[in-house]
Amino acid sequence: MTDPAAAPDAGLSTGDVLLDGDGQPLAYAAAAEELETIVASIESADVDVDELGRQVGRASELIRHCRARLREVQTEVDAVVDQLVDPQDAP
């Protein structure tokens, strides 16, 4: 298995949204999986200092991406819930 953090097209970004190799927003699950891989690598005793810096930077990008995606989903869920609320039930 290759290290997704080392992919040449990983990390393309528009703001907090990272793009995959096809220019599409990186899926939350893919970002979380890459983040887990980076954490495991960082936790290993034999990580190179230069590589550590690169990995921490990439982890930071992934965390921002995941937070942005969670905010988007929260907004979508709130909109759906708001549509379900019957105006007659409101105080």
Side-chain angles (χ1 to χ4, degrees):
M1 181 173 148
T2 60
D3 178 5
D9 54 6
L12 298 176
S13 175
T14 56
D16 287 338
V17 178
L18 297 176
L19 305 177
D20 65 15
D22 296 327
Q24 298 299 313
L26 184 63
Y28 181 89
E33 182 179 335
E34 183 179 346
L35 187 55
E36 289 175 10
T37 300
I38 290 171
V39 169
S41 175
I42 289 171
E43 289 176 341
S44 74
D46 49 84
V47 65
D48 178 68
V49 171
D50 295 323
E51 181 65 15
L52 176 65
R54 189 191 68 74
Q55 288 183 347
V56 169
R58 179 64 177 163
S60 176
E61 291 175 345
L62 290 164
I63 290 168
R64 284 193 307 273
H65 173 78
C66 288
R67 285 181 178 165
R69 184 63 186 128
L70 289 171
R71 284 190 299 272
E72 290 172 12
V73 170
Q74 183 65 53
T75 300
E76 293 169 10
V77 169
D78 289 346
V80 170
V81 170
D82 287 346
Q83 290 176 357
L84 295 174
V85 174
D86 186 355
Q88 295 176 358
D89 293 339

